[in-house]
Amino acid sequence: MSVSIPNIRIGQGFDVHSWSEDPSRPLVLGGVEFAESAGLVGHSDADAIAHAVIDAMLGAAGAGDIGGLFPDTDPPFAGANSIELLRAAAQKLKALGWMLINADCTVVLDAPKIAPHRATMEHHLSEAAGGPVTLKGKRTEGVSSLGEGVQCFASALLIGPSSPSESESL
Ligand code: MG
């Protein structure tokens, strides 16, 4: 008996980047540059939020991870704009028949404050991901190890090109 189940898949993403001592590194989170803040260590622009969303989306589609898609050993990705990496990942998934239903993220840091920039970040992330992306900020609450960098957790829900039962019978 064939049962039609929508091919809806959940994916999880996590990313962390440590604070950089290089004063020339800008802090970029959710596509927003914070000129007054220290930056993060990374091969690209180290946008941990965009990276976590990419991994959540790739995970939902069973399409690998950010390191496989954009190797950090590749010179072209040095200093890359991670919102553009998110856009490229979303386009790859779209070509495979996947569509983002929504993604939700939690970024952990004490400063700068996220709330004043949340709408802008959500706009950048949503526009690149091709679906609604929401964001929440959490403080480190004095847990010193959490203060050594910026962490971001993301979940993404995608709908695929066919039901699992149909794809299994192909
Ligand atoms: Mg990263």
Side-chain angles (χ1 to χ4, degrees):
M1 189 178 87
S2 171
V3 178
S4 181
I5 304 169
N7 192 15
I8 294 175
R9 302 292 179 100
I10 192 167
Q12 176 214 55
F14 169 76
D15 196 32
V16 59
H17 286 264
S18 58
W19 293 111
S20 171
E21 293 180 1
D22 178 353
S24 71
R25 289 276 309 173
L27 176 65
V28 181
L29 290 171
V32 172
E33 187 170 319
F34 295 87
E36 306 300 312
S37 299
L40 298 166
V41 175
H43 185 65
S44 66
D45 63 8
D47 187 336
I49 300 175
H51 294 178
V53 173
I54 291 170
D55 259 357
M57 291 180 67
L58 291 174
D65 60 29
I66 188 171
L69 201 55
F70 308 113
D72 64 9
T73 49
D74 271 18
F77 301 128
N81 177 334
S82 296
I83 290 292
E84 294 309 316
L85 299 183
L86 173 57
R87 189 186 313 282
Q91 286 171 351
K92 174 189 165 74
L93 294 177
K94 186 178 178 186
L96 294 171
W98 292 93
M99 192 182 81
L100 177 66
I101 297 174
N102 80 298
D104 185 47
C105 317
T106 300
V107 63
V108 185
L109 78 169
D110 290 323
K113 285 188 165 45
I114 293 303
H117 307 279
R118 178 184 294 153
T120 305
M121 294 162 130
E122 288 178 339
H123 173 78
H124 288 319
L125 293 161
S126 300
E127 191 263 333
V133 181
T134 47
L135 174 68
K136 305 172 300 296
K138 292 289 281 185
R139 297 203 181 102
T140 65
E141 303 295 347
V143 179
S144 57
S145 60
L146 294 179
E148 292 175 12
V150 173
Q151 301 97 55
C152 186
F153 303 83
S155 300
L157 202 62
L158 271 64
I159 185 162
S162 61
S163 75
S165 56
E166 285 168 346
S167 57
E168 279 161 19
S169 67
L170 290 174

